[in-house]
Amino acid sequence: MKNILSIQSHVVYGYAGNKAATFPMQLLGVDVWALNTVQFSNHTQYGKWGGMVMPKEQIGSIVEGIHNIDELHRCDAVLSGYIGSAEQVEEIINAFHKVKAENPNAIYICDPVMGHPDKGCIVADGVKEGLINLAMAQADIITPNLVELRELTGLTVENFEQALEAVKVILTKGPKKVLVKHLSRVGKDSNKFEMLLANQDGIWHISRPLYHFDKEPVGVGDLTAGLFVANLLNGKSDLEAFEHTANAVNEVMEQTSKSGLYELQIIRSRDLIVNPQCNYKAVKIA
């Protein structure tokens, strides 16, 4: 069994951060060591929430605690997502280095959540800069959306060709794999939900149905990043992991759309996450 140290947010109500990623990764047979950067009542897109950011010392203390019981060598990957403070970025990098010292084969997956004020996704000052200046160079895999792709590269990325150039730039900055979780309006077809996967062997594009919601569900990127790394740890190739992730997320989005509810319907979709009924295929484009 593979083990992931997943360092991201936790919401008590609804699905975002670890709440959106942990159960799906467990469904794929991966043990998840969830370490929360914040604990909120609900995700920030509601516009109001309770709870608090965890002190940065908690990350190092917990990782050290696992080390002290001689179990850190069993950690196969560190996944980071929503970060509660700028200081936590360095703590996460330190945690990965400690894991790497115990297991040289361990990998770091950075889901570079930078916030989206228009959608109500709020992150603390300095987090974006920490992700750009510290985390990206350390990451084996990075999973930006369109907004984050622009920030990581400093490029405008206003069309599909520019998106391809941007992922190539990221591959020169440290990461070995780039998964663009959502191309949004720079995709090929405005009626589709589109993603990119890039590695040293090329770039692949996949599209699936785009579901329309009165309020866009939150946590889709967290779910996507978690499923992708879980698939890789289970031995799937990059392409196989990419396709399974896209299809499993599609099933969750379809169930969420049918429900008429705001929160992701992950529990309702549990069987479909493991065995998606759809079969969208990626196409190599570069």
Side-chain angles (χ1 to χ4, degrees), residues 171-236:
L171 288 174
T172 69
K173 294 180 178 290
K176 303 174 185 67
K177 300 177 178 63
V178 182
L179 172 65
V180 181
K181 297 171 296 190
H182 187 195
L183 282 170
S184 188
R185 58 182 176 273
V186 305
K188 291 183 172 183
D189 185 342
S190 61
N191 294 312
K192 297 288 186 180
F193 188 101
E194 301 174 62
M195 300 165 61
L196 290 177
L197 170 68
N199 61 23
Q200 300 301 328
D201 295 323
I203 303 176
W204 289 262
H205 170 267
I206 197 166
S207 63
R208 61 166 177 81
L210 177 64
Y211 301 94
H212 296 282
F213 300 91
D214 293 334
K215 292 173 64 178
E216 288 293 326
V218 172
V220 181
D222 309 319
L223 171 65
T224 300
L227 287 175
F228 184 65
V229 65
N231 275 308
L232 291 177
L233 291 184
N234 282 334
K236 290 184 182 294

Short mmCIF file of all heavy atoms in Angstrom, two decimals, residues 171-236:
data_model
loop_
_atom_site.label_atom_id
_atom_site.label_comp_id
_atom_site.label_asym_id
_atom_site.label_seq_id
_atom_site.Cartn_x
_atom_site.Cartn_y
_atom_site.Cartn_z
N LEU A 171 8.14 23.30 -17.19
CA LEU A 171 9.00 22.12 -17.22
C LEU A 171 10.48 22.48 -17.16
O LEU A 171 11.31 21.62 -16.89
CB LEU A 171 8.72 21.28 -18.47
CG LEU A 171 7.39 20.52 -18.48
CD1 LEU A 171 7.18 19.84 -19.83
CD2 LEU A 171 7.34 19.48 -17.36
N THR A 172 10.81 23.74 -17.38
CA THR A 172 12.20 24.18 -17.26
C THR A 172 12.51 24.71 -15.85
O THR A 172 13.66 25.05 -15.56
CB THR A 172 12.52 25.31 -18.27
OG1 THR A 172 11.83 26.51 -17.90
CG2 THR A 172 12.15 24.89 -19.67
N LYS A 173 11.49 24.76 -14.98
CA LYS A 173 11.65 25.37 -13.66
C LYS A 173 11.71 24.37 -12.53
O LYS A 173 11.68 24.75 -11.35
CB LYS A 173 10.52 26.38 -13.42
CG LYS A 173 10.56 27.58 -14.35
CD LYS A 173 9.43 28.53 -14.08
CE LYS A 173 9.50 29.76 -14.98
NZ LYS A 173 10.63 30.64 -14.62
N GLY A 174 11.75 23.07 -12.86
CA GLY A 174 11.86 22.06 -11.80
C GLY A 174 10.90 20.90 -11.93
O GLY A 174 11.31 19.73 -11.87
N PRO A 175 9.59 21.16 -12.07
CA PRO A 175 8.64 20.05 -12.16
C PRO A 175 8.90 19.15 -13.38
O PRO A 175 9.27 19.63 -14.45
CB PRO A 175 7.28 20.75 -12.28
CG PRO A 175 7.49 22.08 -11.64
CD PRO A 175 8.90 22.46 -12.00
N LYS A 176 8.66 17.85 -13.18
CA LYS A 176 8.81 16.89 -14.26
C LYS A 176 7.49 16.64 -14.99
O LYS A 176 7.48 16.12 -16.10
CB LYS A 176 9.37 15.57 -13.71
CG LYS A 176 10.69 15.72 -12.98
CD LYS A 176 11.10 14.42 -12.33
CE LYS A 176 12.38 14.59 -11.50
NZ LYS A 176 12.15 15.48 -10.31
N LYS A 177 6.40 16.97 -14.32
CA LYS A 177 5.08 16.80 -14.89
C LYS A 177 4.23 18.03 -14.55
O LYS A 177 4.31 18.55 -13.44
CB LYS A 177 4.38 15.55 -14.35
CG LYS A 177 5.10 14.25 -14.60
CD LYS A 177 4.35 13.09 -13.93
CE LYS A 177 4.99 11.74 -14.18
NZ LYS A 177 6.35 11.63 -13.63
N VAL A 178 3.41 18.46 -15.52
CA VAL A 178 2.48 19.56 -15.31
C VAL A 178 1.10 19.10 -15.71
O VAL A 178 0.89 18.66 -16.85
CB VAL A 178 2.86 20.81 -16.14
CG1 VAL A 178 1.89 21.95 -15.83
CG2 VAL A 178 4.30 21.23 -15.88
N LEU A 179 0.17 19.19 -14.79
CA LEU A 179 -1.23 18.88 -15.08
C LEU A 179 -2.02 20.17 -14.96
O LEU A 179 -2.14 20.74 -13.86
CB LEU A 179 -1.77 17.84 -14.09
CG LEU A 179 -3.28 17.56 -14.15
CD1 LEU A 179 -3.64 16.94 -15.49
CD2 LEU A 179 -3.71 16.66 -13.01
N VAL A 180 -2.51 20.69 -16.07
CA VAL A 180 -3.35 21.89 -16.03
C VAL A 180 -4.77 21.42 -15.78
O VAL A 180 -5.39 20.80 -16.64
CB VAL A 180 -3.24 22.70 -17.34
CG1 VAL A 180 -4.11 23.96 -17.25
CG2 VAL A 180 -1.79 23.08 -17.61
N LYS A 181 -5.29 21.76 -14.62
CA LYS A 181 -6.57 21.21 -14.17
C LYS A 181 -7.76 21.74 -14.95
O LYS A 181 -8.79 21.07 -15.04
CB LYS A 181 -6.77 21.52 -12.68
CG LYS A 181 -5.74 20.88 -11.76
CD LYS A 181 -5.86 21.40 -10.35
CE LYS A 181 -5.56 22.88 -10.26
NZ LYS A 181 -5.45 23.37 -8.87
N HIS A 182 -7.63 22.94 -15.48
CA HIS A 182 -8.75 23.54 -16.22
C HIS A 182 -8.22 24.64 -17.12
O HIS A 182 -7.67 25.63 -16.63
CB HIS A 182 -9.79 24.10 -15.22
CG HIS A 182 -11.04 24.58 -15.88
ND1 HIS A 182 -11.96 25.39 -15.23
CD2 HIS A 182 -11.53 24.39 -17.13
CE1 HIS A 182 -12.96 25.65 -16.05
NE2 HIS A 182 -12.72 25.06 -17.20
N LEU A 183 -8.41 24.46 -18.42
CA LEU A 183 -7.95 25.47 -19.37
C LEU A 183 -8.89 26.66 -19.45
O LEU A 183 -8.53 27.71 -19.99
CB LEU A 183 -7.79 24.86 -20.75
CG LEU A 183 -6.52 24.03 -20.97
CD1 LEU A 183 -6.59 23.29 -22.29
CD2 LEU A 183 -5.28 24.90 -20.91
N SER A 184 -10.12 26.48 -18.96
CA SER A 184 -11.09 27.57 -18.94
C SER A 184 -11.25 28.16 -20.34
O SER A 184 -11.35 27.42 -21.32
CB SER A 184 -10.66 28.61 -17.91
OG SER A 184 -11.64 29.59 -17.72
N ARG A 185 -11.21 29.48 -20.44
CA ARG A 185 -11.54 30.12 -21.73
C ARG A 185 -10.42 30.05 -22.75
O ARG A 185 -10.59 30.54 -23.88
CB ARG A 185 -11.93 31.57 -21.51
CG ARG A 185 -10.88 32.43 -20.83
CD ARG A 185 -11.40 33.86 -20.62
NE ARG A 185 -10.45 34.68 -19.90
CZ ARG A 185 -10.38 34.75 -18.58
NH1 ARG A 185 -11.20 34.00 -17.84
NH2 ARG A 185 -9.51 35.54 -17.98
N VAL A 186 -9.26 29.48 -22.42
CA VAL A 186 -8.20 29.34 -23.43
C VAL A 186 -8.20 27.93 -24.04
O VAL A 186 -7.29 27.58 -24.78
CB VAL A 186 -6.80 29.69 -22.88
CG1 VAL A 186 -6.81 31.07 -22.26
CG2 VAL A 186 -6.32 28.65 -21.87
N GLY A 187 -9.22 27.15 -23.75
CA GLY A 187 -9.33 25.83 -24.35
C GLY A 187 -9.76 25.90 -25.81
O GLY A 187 -10.03 26.98 -26.35
N LYS A 188 -9.84 24.74 -26.43
CA LYS A 188 -10.21 24.68 -27.85
C LYS A 188 -11.70 24.87 -28.07
O LYS A 188 -12.13 25.35 -29.12
CB LYS A 188 -9.79 23.32 -28.43
CG LYS A 188 -8.29 23.11 -28.56
CD LYS A 188 -8.02 21.77 -29.22
CE LYS A 188 -6.56 21.58 -29.56
NZ LYS A 188 -6.31 20.31 -30.27
N ASP A 189 -12.53 24.44 -27.10
CA ASP A 189 -13.98 24.42 -27.28
C ASP A 189 -14.62 24.96 -26.01
O ASP A 189 -14.52 24.35 -24.94
CB ASP A 189 -14.45 22.99 -27.57
CG ASP A 189 -15.93 22.90 -27.89
OD1 ASP A 189 -16.67 23.85 -27.58
OD2 ASP A 189 -16.35 21.85 -28.42
N SER A 190 -15.30 26.08 -26.11
CA SER A 190 -15.90 26.71 -24.93
C SER A 190 -17.02 25.88 -24.32
O SER A 190 -17.46 26.15 -23.20
CB SER A 190 -16.43 28.10 -25.31
OG SER A 190 -17.44 28.00 -26.31
N ASN A 191 -17.49 24.86 -25.05
CA ASN A 191 -18.55 24.00 -24.54
C ASN A 191 -18.01 22.75 -23.86
O ASN A 191 -18.79 21.87 -23.49
CB ASN A 191 -19.49 23.60 -25.69
CG ASN A 191 -20.24 24.79 -26.24
OD1 ASN A 191 -20.80 25.58 -25.51
ND2 ASN A 191 -20.22 24.91 -27.57
N LYS A 192 -16.69 22.67 -23.71
CA LYS A 192 -16.06 21.50 -23.09
C LYS A 192 -15.21 21.92 -21.89
O LYS A 192 -14.77 23.06 -21.80
CB LYS A 192 -15.17 20.76 -24.11
CG LYS A 192 -15.90 20.19 -25.31
CD LYS A 192 -16.75 19.00 -24.95
CE LYS A 192 -17.36 18.36 -26.19
NZ LYS A 192 -18.19 17.18 -25.83
N PHE A 193 -14.99 20.96 -21.00
CA PHE A 193 -14.03 21.15 -19.90
C PHE A 193 -12.74 20.49 -20.36
O PHE A 193 -12.72 19.29 -20.64
CB PHE A 193 -14.55 20.49 -18.63
CG PHE A 193 -13.73 20.79 -17.40
CD1 PHE A 193 -14.15 21.73 -16.48
CD2 PHE A 193 -12.53 20.13 -17.17
CE1 PHE A 193 -13.40 22.02 -15.35
CE2 PHE A 193 -11.76 20.41 -16.05
CZ PHE A 193 -12.20 21.36 -15.13
N GLU A 194 -11.66 21.26 -20.41
CA GLU A 194 -10.43 20.77 -21.02
C GLU A 194 -9.25 20.83 -20.04
O GLU A 194 -9.15 21.74 -19.22
CB GLU A 194 -10.09 21.59 -22.27
CG GLU A 194 -11.18 21.54 -23.32
CD GLU A 194 -10.91 22.47 -24.47
OE1 GLU A 194 -9.89 22.28 -25.17
OE2 GLU A 194 -11.69 23.41 -24.67
N MET A 195 -8.34 19.85 -20.18
CA MET A 195 -7.16 19.76 -19.34
C MET A 195 -5.94 19.43 -20.20
O MET A 195 -6.09 18.91 -21.31
CB MET A 195 -7.34 18.65 -18.28
CG MET A 195 -8.52 18.86 -17.35
SD MET A 195 -8.94 17.36 -16.44
CE MET A 195 -7.43 17.07 -15.53
N LEU A 196 -4.76 19.73 -19.66
CA LEU A 196 -3.50 19.38 -20.32
C LEU A 196 -2.63 18.58 -19.37
O LEU A 196 -2.66 18.80 -18.15
CB LEU A 196 -2.72 20.63 -20.74
CG LEU A 196 -3.24 21.50 -21.87
CD1 LEU A 196 -2.33 22.71 -22.03
CD2 LEU A 196 -3.32 20.71 -23.17
N LEU A 197 -1.86 17.66 -19.92
CA LEU A 197 -0.80 16.98 -19.19
C LEU A 197 0.48 17.11 -19.99
O LEU A 197 0.51 16.83 -21.19
CB LEU A 197 -1.13 15.48 -19.02
CG LEU A 197 0.03 14.64 -18.47
CD1 LEU A 197 0.32 15.02 -17.02
CD2 LEU A 197 -0.29 13.15 -18.59
N ALA A 198 1.54 17.56 -19.33
CA ALA A 198 2.83 17.71 -20.01
C ALA A 198 3.91 17.02 -19.19
O ALA A 198 3.94 17.10 -17.96
CB ALA A 198 3.18 19.18 -20.18
N ASN A 199 4.79 16.31 -19.91
CA ASN A 199 6.00 15.75 -19.30
C ASN A 199 7.12 15.83 -20.33
O ASN A 199 6.96 16.49 -21.37
CB ASN A 199 5.78 14.34 -18.76
CG ASN A 199 5.37 13.35 -19.85
OD1 ASN A 199 5.65 13.56 -21.05
ND2 ASN A 199 4.73 12.26 -19.46
N GLN A 200 8.23 15.18 -20.05
CA GLN A 200 9.36 15.28 -20.97
C GLN A 200 9.10 14.59 -22.31
O GLN A 200 9.84 14.80 -23.28
CB GLN A 200 10.61 14.69 -20.31
CG GLN A 200 11.03 15.40 -19.03
CD GLN A 200 11.33 16.87 -19.23
OE1 GLN A 200 11.81 17.29 -20.29
NE2 GLN A 200 11.05 17.68 -18.21
N ASP A 201 8.04 13.78 -22.38
CA ASP A 201 7.74 13.05 -23.61
C ASP A 201 6.73 13.76 -24.49
O ASP A 201 6.51 13.34 -25.63
CB ASP A 201 7.22 11.65 -23.28
CG ASP A 201 8.27 10.79 -22.61
OD1 ASP A 201 9.46 10.91 -22.98
OD2 ASP A 201 7.92 10.01 -21.70
N GLY A 202 6.10 14.80 -23.98
CA GLY A 202 5.12 15.50 -24.80
C GLY A 202 4.01 16.13 -24.00
O GLY A 202 4.06 16.22 -22.77
N ILE A 203 2.98 16.57 -24.73
CA ILE A 203 1.81 17.21 -24.12
C ILE A 203 0.56 16.52 -24.64
O ILE A 203 0.42 16.27 -25.84
CB ILE A 203 1.75 18.71 -24.46
CG1 ILE A 203 3.05 19.41 -24.03
CG2 ILE A 203 0.55 19.37 -23.80
CD1 ILE A 203 3.11 20.88 -24.41
N TRP A 204 -0.36 16.24 -23.72
CA TRP A 204 -1.63 15.60 -24.05
C TRP A 204 -2.79 16.50 -23.66
O TRP A 204 -2.71 17.23 -22.66
CB TRP A 204 -1.77 14.26 -23.34
CG TRP A 204 -0.87 13.18 -23.84
CD1 TRP A 204 -1.19 12.18 -24.73
CD2 TRP A 204 0.50 12.97 -23.50
NE1 TRP A 204 -0.10 11.38 -24.96
CE2 TRP A 204 0.96 11.83 -24.21
CE3 TRP A 204 1.39 13.64 -22.65
CZ2 TRP A 204 2.26 11.36 -24.10
CZ3 TRP A 204 2.69 13.18 -22.54
CH2 TRP A 204 3.11 12.04 -23.27
N HIS A 205 -3.85 16.42 -24.43
CA HIS A 205 -5.05 17.23 -24.21
C HIS A 205 -6.25 16.30 -24.05
O HIS A 205 -6.36 15.29 -24.76
CB HIS A 205 -5.26 18.16 -25.42
CG HIS A 205 -6.56 18.88 -25.44
ND1 HIS A 205 -7.68 18.41 -26.09
CD2 HIS A 205 -6.93 20.07 -24.89
CE1 HIS A 205 -8.67 19.27 -25.95
NE2 HIS A 205 -8.24 20.29 -25.23
N ILE A 206 -7.11 16.61 -23.10
CA ILE A 206 -8.34 15.82 -22.94
C ILE A 206 -9.50 16.77 -22.70
O ILE A 206 -9.34 17.84 -22.10
CB ILE A 206 -8.20 14.81 -21.77
CG1 ILE A 206 -9.27 13.72 -21.87
CG2 ILE A 206 -8.25 15.50 -20.41
CD1 ILE A 206 -9.01 12.53 -20.96
N SER A 207 -10.65 16.41 -23.22
CA SER A 207 -11.85 17.21 -22.99
C SER A 207 -12.99 16.30 -22.57
O SER A 207 -13.04 15.12 -22.95
CB SER A 207 -12.24 18.01 -24.24
OG SER A 207 -12.57 17.14 -25.31
N ARG A 208 -13.86 16.83 -21.76
CA ARG A 208 -15.03 16.11 -21.27
C ARG A 208 -16.19 17.11 -21.24
O ARG A 208 -16.00 18.30 -21.49
CB ARG A 208 -14.76 15.54 -19.88
CG ARG A 208 -14.43 16.59 -18.81
CD ARG A 208 -14.50 16.00 -17.43
NE ARG A 208 -14.14 16.91 -16.36
CZ ARG A 208 -14.93 17.83 -15.83
NH1 ARG A 208 -16.14 18.00 -16.32
NH2 ARG A 208 -14.51 18.60 -14.83
N PRO A 209 -17.41 16.65 -20.94
CA PRO A 209 -18.54 17.59 -20.89
C PRO A 209 -18.33 18.71 -19.86
O PRO A 209 -17.72 18.50 -18.82
CB PRO A 209 -19.72 16.70 -20.50
CG PRO A 209 -19.34 15.34 -20.96
CD PRO A 209 -17.85 15.25 -20.77
N LEU A 210 -18.84 19.86 -20.18
CA LEU A 210 -18.83 21.00 -19.26
C LEU A 210 -20.23 21.13 -18.68
O LEU A 210 -21.19 21.36 -19.41
CB LEU A 210 -18.43 22.28 -20.01
CG LEU A 210 -18.45 23.58 -19.20
CD1 LEU A 210 -17.42 23.54 -18.09
CD2 LEU A 210 -18.21 24.78 -20.12
N TYR A 211 -20.34 20.97 -17.39
CA TYR A 211 -21.63 21.05 -16.71
C TYR A 211 -21.84 22.48 -16.21
O TYR A 211 -20.90 23.12 -15.74
CB TYR A 211 -21.69 20.05 -15.55
CG TYR A 211 -21.50 18.63 -16.01
CD1 TYR A 211 -20.24 18.03 -16.00
CD2 TYR A 211 -22.57 17.88 -16.50
CE1 TYR A 211 -20.05 16.74 -16.45
CE2 TYR A 211 -22.40 16.59 -16.96
CZ TYR A 211 -21.13 16.01 -16.92
OH TYR A 211 -20.94 14.73 -17.38
N HIS A 212 -23.05 22.95 -16.32
CA HIS A 212 -23.35 24.33 -15.93
C HIS A 212 -24.06 24.34 -14.58
O HIS A 212 -25.00 23.57 -14.34
CB HIS A 212 -24.20 24.99 -17.01
CG HIS A 212 -23.50 25.12 -18.32
ND1 HIS A 212 -22.56 26.11 -18.58
CD2 HIS A 212 -23.56 24.37 -19.46
CE1 HIS A 212 -22.09 25.97 -19.80
NE2 HIS A 212 -22.67 24.92 -20.36
N PHE A 213 -23.59 25.20 -13.72
CA PHE A 213 -24.12 25.31 -12.36
C PHE A 213 -24.48 26.76 -12.07
O PHE A 213 -23.83 27.68 -12.58
CB PHE A 213 -23.08 24.85 -11.34
CG PHE A 213 -22.62 23.42 -11.51
CD1 PHE A 213 -21.52 23.12 -12.30
CD2 PHE A 213 -23.28 22.38 -10.86
CE1 PHE A 213 -21.09 21.81 -12.46
CE2 PHE A 213 -22.85 21.07 -11.02
CZ PHE A 213 -21.76 20.78 -11.81
N ASP A 214 -25.48 26.96 -11.24
CA ASP A 214 -25.80 28.31 -10.77
C ASP A 214 -24.63 28.86 -9.96
O ASP A 214 -24.30 30.05 -10.05
CB ASP A 214 -27.08 28.30 -9.93
CG ASP A 214 -28.30 27.95 -10.76
OD1 ASP A 214 -28.28 28.19 -11.99
OD2 ASP A 214 -29.29 27.44 -10.19
N LYS A 215 -24.01 28.00 -9.15
CA LYS A 215 -22.80 28.34 -8.40
C LYS A 215 -21.81 27.23 -8.64
O LYS A 215 -22.11 26.05 -8.38
CB LYS A 215 -23.12 28.47 -6.91
CG LYS A 215 -23.99 29.65 -6.56
CD LYS A 215 -24.39 29.60 -5.08
CE LYS A 215 -23.20 29.74 -4.17
NZ LYS A 215 -23.61 29.74 -2.73
N GLU A 216 -20.64 27.57 -9.16
CA GLU A 216 -19.65 26.55 -9.49
C GLU A 216 -19.18 25.82 -8.23
O GLU A 216 -18.77 26.45 -7.26
CB GLU A 216 -18.45 27.18 -10.18
CG GLU A 216 -18.71 27.64 -11.60
CD GLU A 216 -18.98 26.49 -12.55
OE1 GLU A 216 -18.39 25.40 -12.36
OE2 GLU A 216 -19.79 26.67 -13.48
N PRO A 217 -19.22 24.49 -8.23
CA PRO A 217 -18.73 23.73 -7.06
C PRO A 217 -17.26 24.00 -6.79
O PRO A 217 -16.48 24.29 -7.71
CB PRO A 217 -18.97 22.27 -7.47
CG PRO A 217 -20.01 22.33 -8.53
CD PRO A 217 -19.77 23.61 -9.26
N VAL A 218 -16.90 23.90 -5.55
CA VAL A 218 -15.53 24.11 -5.10
C VAL A 218 -14.91 22.76 -4.78
O VAL A 218 -15.61 21.81 -4.43
CB VAL A 218 -15.53 25.03 -3.86
CG1 VAL A 218 -14.15 25.14 -3.24
CG2 VAL A 218 -16.06 26.41 -4.25
N GLY A 219 -13.59 22.66 -4.90
CA GLY A 219 -12.89 21.43 -4.56
C GLY A 219 -12.58 20.54 -5.73
O GLY A 219 -11.98 19.46 -5.56
N VAL A 220 -12.96 20.97 -6.94
CA VAL A 220 -12.72 20.14 -8.13
C VAL A 220 -11.22 19.97 -8.36
O VAL A 220 -10.74 18.87 -8.68
CB VAL A 220 -13.39 20.76 -9.37
CG1 VAL A 220 -13.17 19.88 -10.60
CG2 VAL A 220 -14.88 20.96 -9.12
N GLY A 221 -10.47 21.04 -8.20
CA GLY A 221 -9.02 20.96 -8.38
C GLY A 221 -8.36 20.08 -7.33
O GLY A 221 -7.42 19.33 -7.63
N ASP A 222 -8.84 20.15 -6.09
CA ASP A 222 -8.31 19.31 -5.02
C ASP A 222 -8.56 17.84 -5.33
O ASP A 222 -7.67 16.98 -5.15
CB ASP A 222 -8.96 19.68 -3.68
CG ASP A 222 -8.90 21.16 -3.40
OD1 ASP A 222 -7.84 21.76 -3.67
OD2 ASP A 222 -9.89 21.72 -2.92
N LEU A 223 -9.76 17.54 -5.78
CA LEU A 223 -10.12 16.19 -6.19
C LEU A 223 -9.24 15.72 -7.34
O LEU A 223 -8.71 14.59 -7.33
CB LEU A 223 -11.59 16.16 -6.60
CG LEU A 223 -12.12 14.89 -7.26
CD1 LEU A 223 -12.08 13.71 -6.29
CD2 LEU A 223 -13.55 15.12 -7.76
N THR A 224 -9.02 16.58 -8.31
CA THR A 224 -8.23 16.24 -9.50
C THR A 224 -6.79 15.91 -9.13
O THR A 224 -6.24 14.88 -9.55
CB THR A 224 -8.28 17.39 -10.51
OG1 THR A 224 -9.64 17.64 -10.89
CG2 THR A 224 -7.44 17.08 -11.74
N ALA A 225 -6.16 16.79 -8.36
CA ALA A 225 -4.76 16.58 -7.99
C ALA A 225 -4.60 15.30 -7.18
O ALA A 225 -3.66 14.52 -7.38
CB ALA A 225 -4.24 17.77 -7.20
N GLY A 226 -5.53 15.06 -6.25
CA GLY A 226 -5.46 13.86 -5.42
C GLY A 226 -5.59 12.58 -6.23
O GLY A 226 -4.82 11.63 -6.04
N LEU A 227 -6.55 12.55 -7.14
CA LEU A 227 -6.74 11.35 -7.95
C LEU A 227 -5.53 11.10 -8.86
O LEU A 227 -5.12 9.95 -9.06
CB LEU A 227 -8.01 11.48 -8.79
CG LEU A 227 -9.33 11.36 -8.04
CD1 LEU A 227 -10.50 11.64 -8.98
CD2 LEU A 227 -9.48 9.97 -7.42
N PHE A 228 -4.97 12.17 -9.40
CA PHE A 228 -3.84 11.99 -10.31
C PHE A 228 -2.65 11.36 -9.60
O PHE A 228 -2.07 10.38 -10.07
CB PHE A 228 -3.44 13.33 -10.93
CG PHE A 228 -2.35 13.24 -11.95
CD1 PHE A 228 -2.55 12.57 -13.14
CD2 PHE A 228 -1.11 13.83 -11.73
CE1 PHE A 228 -1.54 12.48 -14.10
CE2 PHE A 228 -0.10 13.75 -12.67
CZ PHE A 228 -0.31 13.07 -13.86
N VAL A 229 -2.30 11.87 -8.43
CA VAL A 229 -1.14 11.31 -7.72
C VAL A 229 -1.43 9.91 -7.20
O VAL A 229 -0.56 9.03 -7.22
CB VAL A 229 -0.67 12.24 -6.59
CG1 VAL A 229 -1.70 12.38 -5.49
CG2 VAL A 229 0.64 11.73 -5.99
N ALA A 230 -2.66 9.66 -6.77
CA ALA A 230 -3.01 8.31 -6.31
C ALA A 230 -2.88 7.30 -7.44
O ALA A 230 -2.36 6.19 -7.24
CB ALA A 230 -4.43 8.30 -5.74
N ASN A 231 -3.32 7.69 -8.62
CA ASN A 231 -3.18 6.81 -9.78
C ASN A 231 -1.72 6.53 -10.10
O ASN A 231 -1.34 5.39 -10.41
CB ASN A 231 -3.87 7.43 -10.99
CG ASN A 231 -5.36 7.12 -11.06
OD1 ASN A 231 -5.75 5.96 -10.99
ND2 ASN A 231 -6.17 8.15 -11.18
N LEU A 232 -0.89 7.56 -10.02
CA LEU A 232 0.54 7.36 -10.30
C LEU A 232 1.16 6.43 -9.28
O LEU A 232 1.95 5.53 -9.64
CB LEU A 232 1.26 8.70 -10.29
CG LEU A 232 0.95 9.66 -11.45
CD1 LEU A 232 1.70 10.97 -11.25
CD2 LEU A 232 1.33 9.04 -12.80
N LEU A 233 0.84 6.61 -8.01
CA LEU A 233 1.41 5.75 -6.98
C LEU A 233 0.94 4.30 -7.14
O LEU A 233 1.65 3.37 -6.74
CB LEU A 233 1.04 6.26 -5.59
CG LEU A 233 1.70 7.57 -5.15
CD1 LEU A 233 1.31 7.91 -3.72
CD2 LEU A 233 3.22 7.51 -5.28
N ASN A 234 -0.22 4.12 -7.73
CA ASN A 234 -0.73 2.77 -7.98
C ASN A 234 -0.09 2.12 -9.20
O ASN A 234 -0.43 0.98 -9.54
CB ASN A 234 -2.24 2.80 -8.15
CG ASN A 234 -2.96 2.91 -6.82
OD1 ASN A 234 -2.44 2.51 -5.79
ND2 ASN A 234 -4.18 3.43 -6.84
N GLY A 235 0.84 2.81 -9.85
CA GLY A 235 1.57 2.21 -10.95
C GLY A 235 1.08 2.55 -12.34
O GLY A 235 1.61 2.04 -13.33
N LYS A 236 0.06 3.40 -12.44
CA LYS A 236 -0.42 3.79 -13.77
C LYS A 236 0.61 4.70 -14.44
O LYS A 236 1.35 5.43 -13.77
CB LYS A 236 -1.76 4.51 -13.67
CG LYS A 236 -2.94 3.63 -13.28
CD LYS A 236 -4.24 4.41 -13.32
CE LYS A 236 -5.43 3.57 -12.87
NZ LYS A 236 -5.70 2.47 -13.80
#
